[in-house]
Amino acid sequence: MTAVRDPSVRRSVTLFRAFLREQQDPEHVYGLLARDAVAQVARYAPVSGATVADVGGGSGHFTREFRRRGARCFLFEPDPRELHAHGPGPDGAVIADGYLLPLADGAADVCFSSNVLEHVADPPTFLSEMVRVTRPGGLIYVAFTNWYSPWGGHETAPWHYLGHERARARYRRRHGREAKHTVGENLFAVHVGATLRHVRARDDVEIVSARSRYWPFLAGAVTRVPGLREFATWNLLLILRRCPR
Ligand SMILES: C[S@@+](CC[C@H](N)C(=O)[O-])C[C@H]1O[C@@H](n2cnc3c(N)ncnc32)[C@H](O)[C@@H]1O
Protein backbone atom coordinates (compact mmCIF):
# COMPACT_ATOMS: atom_id res chain seq x y z
CA MET A 1 0.00 0.00 0.00
CA THR A 2 1.30 3.47 -0.82
CA ALA A 3 1.07 6.41 1.57
CA VAL A 4 -2.24 8.25 1.33
CA ARG A 5 -2.66 12.00 1.08
CA ASP A 6 -1.57 14.01 4.14
CA PRO A 7 -3.62 15.25 5.88
CA SER A 8 -6.88 13.49 5.08
CA VAL A 9 -9.51 11.59 7.00
CA ARG A 10 -8.71 8.46 4.99
CA ARG A 11 -5.04 8.69 5.93
CA SER A 12 -5.78 9.15 9.64
CA VAL A 13 -8.24 6.25 9.67
CA THR A 14 -5.74 4.03 7.83
CA LEU A 15 -2.99 4.88 10.33
CA PHE A 16 -5.30 4.43 13.32
CA ARG A 17 -6.51 1.02 12.09
CA ALA A 18 -2.90 -0.01 11.55
CA PHE A 19 -1.92 1.04 15.10
CA LEU A 20 -4.66 -1.22 16.48
CA ARG A 21 -2.94 -4.14 14.71
CA GLU A 22 0.56 -3.23 15.90
CA GLN A 23 1.00 -6.31 18.12
CA GLN A 24 -0.22 -8.78 15.45
CA ASP A 25 1.50 -7.22 12.45
CA PRO A 26 4.26 -4.76 13.42
CA GLU A 27 5.91 -4.91 9.97
CA HIS A 28 2.74 -3.61 8.34
CA VAL A 29 2.37 -0.79 10.87
CA TYR A 30 5.98 0.39 10.72
CA GLY A 31 6.08 0.08 6.94
CA LEU A 32 2.95 2.19 6.62
CA LEU A 33 4.26 4.78 9.07
CA ALA A 34 7.57 4.98 7.22
CA ARG A 35 5.88 5.51 3.84
CA ASP A 36 3.70 8.16 5.43
CA ALA A 37 6.58 10.06 7.08
CA VAL A 38 8.82 9.98 4.01
CA ALA A 39 5.89 11.22 1.92
CA GLN A 40 5.56 14.10 4.42
CA VAL A 41 9.23 14.98 3.96
CA ALA A 42 8.84 14.78 0.17
CA ARG A 43 6.23 17.55 0.29
CA TYR A 44 8.96 19.97 1.40
CA ALA A 45 12.21 18.68 -0.09
CA PRO A 46 13.36 16.28 -2.82
CA VAL A 47 14.02 12.85 -1.36
CA SER A 48 15.60 11.09 -4.34
CA GLY A 49 19.32 11.85 -4.32
CA ALA A 50 19.17 13.59 -0.93
CA THR A 51 21.58 12.82 1.89
CA VAL A 52 19.44 11.96 4.91
CA ALA A 53 20.40 11.38 8.55
CA ASP A 54 17.87 9.24 10.44
CA VAL A 55 18.65 10.01 14.09
CA GLY A 56 17.49 7.46 16.66
CA GLY A 57 16.30 5.40 13.72
CA GLY A 58 15.57 2.25 15.76
CA SER A 59 15.33 -0.82 13.55
CA GLY A 60 15.48 1.19 10.34
CA HIS A 61 12.01 1.29 8.81
CA PHE A 62 12.39 4.94 7.91
CA THR A 63 15.93 4.48 6.59
CA ARG A 64 14.77 1.62 4.36
CA GLU A 65 11.93 3.75 2.99
CA PHE A 66 14.22 6.73 2.33
CA ARG A 67 16.59 4.41 0.49
CA ARG A 68 13.73 2.83 -1.47
CA ARG A 69 12.87 6.32 -2.66
CA GLY A 70 16.42 6.99 -3.81
CA ALA A 71 17.94 8.84 -0.83
CA ARG A 72 21.41 8.20 0.61
CA CYS A 73 20.15 7.58 4.12
CA PHE A 74 22.39 6.98 7.14
CA LEU A 75 20.95 5.53 10.33
CA PHE A 76 22.31 6.59 13.73
CA GLU A 77 21.06 4.61 16.70
CA PRO A 78 22.71 4.37 20.16
CA ASP A 79 21.04 1.11 21.25
CA PRO A 80 22.01 -2.10 19.39
CA ARG A 81 18.94 -3.86 20.82
CA GLU A 82 16.67 -1.31 19.14
CA LEU A 83 18.65 -1.57 15.91
CA HIS A 84 18.17 -5.33 15.70
CA ALA A 85 14.73 -5.53 17.33
CA HIS A 86 13.03 -6.61 14.08
CA GLY A 87 15.85 -8.60 12.51
CA PRO A 88 19.18 -7.31 11.23
CA GLY A 89 19.32 -3.50 11.03
CA PRO A 90 19.91 -1.82 7.67
CA ASP A 91 23.38 -1.98 6.06
CA GLY A 92 25.81 0.63 7.28
CA ALA A 93 23.86 1.57 10.41
CA VAL A 94 26.04 3.46 12.89
CA ILE A 95 25.89 3.06 16.66
CA ALA A 96 25.90 6.71 17.67
CA ASP A 97 24.25 9.11 20.06
CA GLY A 98 22.07 11.88 18.64
CA TYR A 99 23.81 14.39 20.91
CA LEU A 100 27.10 13.77 19.14
CA LEU A 101 26.58 12.67 15.56
CA PRO A 102 29.65 11.53 13.61
CA LEU A 103 28.84 13.94 10.77
CA ALA A 104 30.44 17.15 9.55
CA ASP A 105 28.56 20.45 9.86
CA GLY A 106 25.93 20.74 7.13
CA ALA A 107 26.46 17.18 5.84
CA ALA A 108 22.76 16.33 5.48
CA ASP A 109 20.07 17.69 3.18
CA VAL A 110 17.47 16.26 5.53
CA CYS A 111 17.87 15.44 9.21
CA PHE A 112 15.04 13.21 10.40
CA SER A 113 13.93 11.98 13.79
CA SER A 114 10.70 10.18 14.54
CA ASN A 115 9.60 9.66 18.13
CA VAL A 116 13.01 10.23 19.66
CA LEU A 117 12.73 13.68 21.29
CA GLU A 118 10.65 12.35 24.20
CA HIS A 119 13.41 9.81 24.88
CA VAL A 120 16.21 12.33 25.43
CA ALA A 121 16.86 14.26 28.63
CA ASP A 122 17.88 17.48 26.88
CA PRO A 123 15.71 18.12 23.80
CA PRO A 124 17.22 21.58 22.97
CA THR A 125 20.74 20.12 22.78
CA PHE A 126 19.48 17.18 20.71
CA LEU A 127 17.80 19.64 18.32
CA SER A 128 20.97 21.75 18.12
CA GLU A 129 22.92 18.72 16.96
CA MET A 130 20.28 17.98 14.30
CA VAL A 131 20.55 21.58 13.11
CA ARG A 132 24.37 21.45 13.08
CA VAL A 133 24.49 18.48 10.69
CA THR A 134 21.87 19.96 8.34
CA ARG A 135 23.08 22.15 5.49
CA PRO A 136 21.83 25.75 5.33
CA GLY A 137 18.47 25.58 3.52
CA GLY A 138 18.13 21.90 4.44
CA LEU A 139 15.16 20.35 6.20
CA ILE A 140 14.78 19.09 9.76
CA TYR A 141 11.90 16.71 10.52
CA VAL A 142 11.15 16.15 14.20
CA ALA A 143 8.08 14.31 15.45
CA PHE A 144 7.46 13.24 19.03
CA THR A 145 4.73 12.14 21.41
CA ASN A 146 4.24 14.84 24.03
CA TRP A 147 3.68 13.91 27.68
CA TYR A 148 0.01 14.86 28.03
CA SER A 149 -0.89 13.11 24.78
CA PRO A 150 -3.22 10.14 25.34
CA TRP A 151 -0.18 8.07 24.29
CA GLY A 152 2.29 10.16 26.34
CA GLY A 153 2.98 7.35 28.83
CA HIS A 154 3.70 4.93 25.96
CA GLU A 155 2.97 1.35 27.10
CA THR A 156 1.55 2.62 30.43
CA ALA A 157 -0.85 5.07 28.71
CA PRO A 158 -3.38 6.40 29.51
CA TRP A 159 -2.68 5.68 33.18
CA HIS A 160 0.25 8.14 33.14
CA TYR A 161 -2.39 10.82 33.72
CA LEU A 162 -2.63 9.43 37.28
CA GLY A 163 1.14 9.71 37.72
CA HIS A 164 3.96 7.70 36.22
CA GLU A 165 4.65 5.56 39.30
CA ARG A 166 1.02 4.48 39.57
CA ALA A 167 0.96 3.77 35.85
CA ARG A 168 4.09 1.63 36.13
CA ALA A 169 2.70 -0.27 39.13
CA ARG A 170 -0.49 -0.99 37.19
CA TYR A 171 1.52 -2.19 34.20
CA ARG A 172 3.55 -4.51 36.46
CA ARG A 173 0.38 -6.01 37.96
CA ARG A 174 -1.27 -6.50 34.57
CA HIS A 175 1.69 -7.82 32.60
CA GLY A 176 3.89 -9.43 35.26
CA ARG A 177 6.94 -7.48 34.09
CA GLU A 178 8.35 -3.99 34.28
CA ALA A 179 7.30 -1.40 31.71
CA LYS A 180 9.99 -0.64 29.14
CA HIS A 181 10.04 3.08 29.90
CA THR A 182 10.91 4.88 33.14
CA VAL A 183 10.34 8.61 33.33
CA GLY A 184 13.63 10.39 33.94
CA GLU A 185 15.64 7.49 32.48
CA ASN A 186 14.47 6.70 28.97
CA LEU A 187 11.24 8.73 28.74
CA PHE A 188 10.87 12.43 29.48
CA ALA A 189 7.91 14.77 29.83
CA VAL A 190 8.24 16.92 26.71
CA HIS A 191 5.52 19.49 26.08
CA VAL A 192 4.11 21.10 22.94
CA GLY A 193 4.10 24.69 24.25
CA ALA A 194 7.64 24.62 25.60
CA THR A 195 8.98 22.98 22.44
CA LEU A 196 7.28 25.52 20.17
CA ARG A 197 8.61 28.39 22.29
CA HIS A 198 12.08 26.92 22.05
CA VAL A 199 12.11 26.54 18.25
CA ARG A 200 10.53 29.97 17.73
CA ALA A 201 13.31 31.55 19.80
CA ARG A 202 16.08 29.92 17.77
CA ASP A 203 17.82 32.02 15.14
CA ASP A 204 19.21 29.07 13.17
CA VAL A 205 15.90 27.58 11.97
CA GLU A 206 12.59 28.77 10.59
CA ILE A 207 9.41 26.84 11.25
CA VAL A 208 7.96 25.58 7.99
CA SER A 209 5.16 23.62 9.66
CA ALA A 210 4.10 22.83 13.21
CA ARG A 211 1.13 20.53 13.48
CA SER A 212 -0.32 17.34 14.78
CA ARG A 213 1.34 14.48 12.94
CA TYR A 214 -1.79 12.35 12.56
CA TRP A 215 -4.80 14.66 12.67
CA PRO A 216 -6.87 14.78 9.46
CA PHE A 217 -7.99 18.41 9.91
CA LEU A 218 -7.19 21.43 12.11
CA ALA A 219 -3.77 19.80 12.41
CA GLY A 220 -2.00 23.18 12.65
CA ALA A 221 -4.75 24.99 14.56
CA VAL A 222 -4.72 22.47 17.41
CA THR A 223 -1.09 23.28 18.21
CA ARG A 224 -1.93 26.97 18.67
CA VAL A 225 -4.37 26.54 21.56
CA PRO A 226 -2.53 26.56 24.91
CA GLY A 227 -3.72 23.82 27.24
CA LEU A 228 -5.78 21.96 24.66
CA ARG A 229 -2.71 21.37 22.48
CA GLU A 230 -1.00 19.39 25.22
CA PHE A 231 -3.74 16.79 25.05
CA ALA A 232 -5.12 17.01 21.54
CA THR A 233 -1.97 17.30 19.41
CA TRP A 234 -1.16 13.69 20.25
CA ASN A 235 2.14 13.78 18.34
CA LEU A 236 3.78 17.07 17.35
CA LEU A 237 5.37 17.27 13.91
CA LEU A 238 7.86 20.07 13.32
CA ILE A 239 9.22 20.74 9.86
CA LEU A 240 12.08 23.20 10.20
CA ARG A 241 14.38 24.75 7.64
CA ARG A 242 17.94 25.60 8.58
CA CYS A 243 18.55 29.29 8.02
CA PRO A 244 21.24 30.35 5.55
CA ARG A 245 24.42 31.26 7.40
C1 LIG B 1 10.42 4.98 20.17
S1 LIG B 1 11.97 4.61 19.46
C2 LIG B 1 11.76 5.32 17.85
C3 LIG B 1 12.52 4.59 16.80
C4 LIG B 1 12.24 5.07 15.38
N1 LIG B 1 12.74 6.40 15.16
C5 LIG B 1 10.76 4.98 15.11
O1 LIG B 1 10.07 6.01 15.06
O2 LIG B 1 10.27 3.84 14.94
C6 LIG B 1 13.05 5.78 20.23
C7 LIG B 1 14.46 5.63 19.76
O3 LIG B 1 15.24 6.73 20.24
C8 LIG B 1 16.52 6.23 20.50
N2 LIG B 1 17.26 7.16 21.34
C9 LIG B 1 17.19 7.34 22.68
N3 LIG B 1 18.08 8.25 23.09
C10 LIG B 1 18.75 8.66 21.98
C11 LIG B 1 19.81 9.57 21.74
N4 LIG B 1 20.40 10.25 22.72
N5 LIG B 1 20.24 9.72 20.46
C12 LIG B 1 19.67 9.05 19.46
N6 LIG B 1 18.67 8.17 19.63
C13 LIG B 1 18.22 7.97 20.87
C14 LIG B 1 16.24 4.89 21.16
O4 LIG B 1 17.37 4.05 21.22
C15 LIG B 1 15.13 4.36 20.26
O5 LIG B 1 15.62 3.64 19.17
Side-chain angles (χ1 to χ4, degrees):
M1 188 197 296
T2 53
V4 291
R5 193 167 59 85
D6 162 41
S8 74
V9 172
R10 191 172 143 236
R11 164 185 174 262
S12 296
V13 170
T14 304
L15 288 171
F16 185 67
R17 285 213 181 112
F19 285 135
L20 295 180
R21 287 177 47 206
E22 186 184 357
Q23 296 303 314
Q24 299 97 302
D25 193 358
E27 288 304 312
H28 171 74
V29 180
Y30 297 130
L32 181 67
L33 200 56
R35 287 192 293 281
D36 185 74
V38 176
Q40 285 178 318
V41 171
R43 293 178 65 192
Y44 299 95
V47 167
S48 180
T51 298
V52 179
D54 178 9
V55 186
S59 54
H61 291 90
F62 297 94
T63 290
R64 287 191 186 89
E65 178 63 12
F66 274 116
R67 289 179 182 174
R68 193 186 69 78
R69 292 192 56 161
R72 272 166 30 97
C73 187
F74 300 91
L75 185 150
F76 301 97
E77 167 56 51
D79 186 344
R81 287 166 306 180
E82 294 288 343
L83 180 59
H84 302 300
H86 300 278
D91 290 348
V94 179
I95 300 295
D97 197 301
Y99 287 123
L100 208 61
L101 293 169
L103 286 175
D105 294 359
D109 298 304
V110 175
C111 193
F112 176 93
S113 107
S114 166
N115 294 340
V116 181
L117 204 68
E118 73 271 40
H119 297 286
V120 300
D122 183 356
T125 303
F126 183 86
L127 286 173
S128 292
E129 184 65 350
M130 290 186 74
V131 175
R132 182 189 70 77
V133 303
T134 307
R135 68 167 170 78
L139 205 75
I140 297 145
Y141 176 111
V142 185
F144 69 95
T145 306
N146 57 295
W147 178 244
Y148 289 117
S149 155
W151 187 241
H154 288 52
E155 69 279 11
T156 70
W159 305 100
H160 64 295
Y161 288 126
L162 300 179
H164 181 61
E165 282 314 319
R166 284 172 81 171
R168 273 181 69 82
R170 184 181 183 281
Y171 185 94
R172 198 180 303 120
R173 278 197 309 278
R174 295 278 297 213
H175 298 274
R177 60 175 190 273
E178 291 296 332
K180 178 178 177 184
H181 295 102
T182 304
V183 171
E185 285 179 22
N186 55 3
L187 182 63
F188 298 86
V190 185
H191 304 295
V192 174
T195 306
L196 286 174
R197 282 191 293 279
H198 169 74
V199 288
R200 280 192 201 117
R202 298 186 70 113
D203 60 6
D204 52 3
V205 290
E206 64 161 316
I207 301 178
V208 177
S209 175
R211 62 200 165 103
S212 163
R213 183 175 182 179
Y214 304 122
W215 267 71
F217 41 74
L218 298 177
V222 75
T223 68
R224 291 194 284 275
V225 186
L228 176 72
R229 63 188 173 194
E230 301 299 339
F231 172 78
T233 300
W234 201 285
N235 189 293
L236 180 66
L237 168 60
L238 292 171
I239 307 266
L240 311 173
R241 197 171 291 285
R242 180 162 180 192
C243 297
R245 268 191 272 267

